[in-house]
Amino acid sequence: MVQEVTGGPLLVGLRDATTLHVSGGHEYLDILWDALDGVAHLAETADDRGVNRHQHIEHFPGDEHRSPDSIPLVIVADWPQEPIPVPR
């Protein structure tokens, strides 16, 4: 993942097939970071693990915070039912 601070709205894209590229002003990049924090918090505190916590980040008509050139992004927190053993 690459983040670039610019003066515009949040723009989500791909650089080659493996690199997520996000750019925008600080206030617009906060949309992404707040979503990541929120999904992680919901997943960590969920009593019901049957629901994968997620949030969509995508442009819609009239939206001034996300660029119309952005690709849709879905942030997902999929915690396993059992803890993953840590190698020693």
Side-chain angles (χ1 to χ4, degrees):
M1 180 175 174
V2 174
Q3 174 181 288
E4 180 180 2
V5 178
T6 65
L10 178 63
L11 176 62
V12 178
L14 289 175
R15 282 190 185 166
D16 62 62
T18 61
T19 305
L20 179 66
H21 181 259
V22 295
S23 64
H26 287 288
E27 68 275 24
Y28 302 118
L29 289 167
D30 283 348
I31 294 168
L32 175 66
W33 299 116
D34 290 346
L36 285 167
D37 286 342
V39 169
H41 175 74
L42 288 173
E44 288 174 345
T45 59
D47 293 332
D48 172 11
R49 298 290 180 189
V51 176
N52 292 334
R53 308 301 180 212
H54 72 283
Q55 186 165 342
H56 295 255
I57 299 195
E58 52 193 296
H59 175 77
F60 56 89
D63 182 5
E64 297 177 3
H65 300 102
R66 294 162 207 62
S67 170
D69 297 324
S70 284
I71 61 170
L73 175 65
V74 179
I75 298 169
V76 178
D78 186 8
W79 265 240
Q81 292 292 331
E82 298 296 323
I84 297 173
V86 177
R88 295 179 191 248

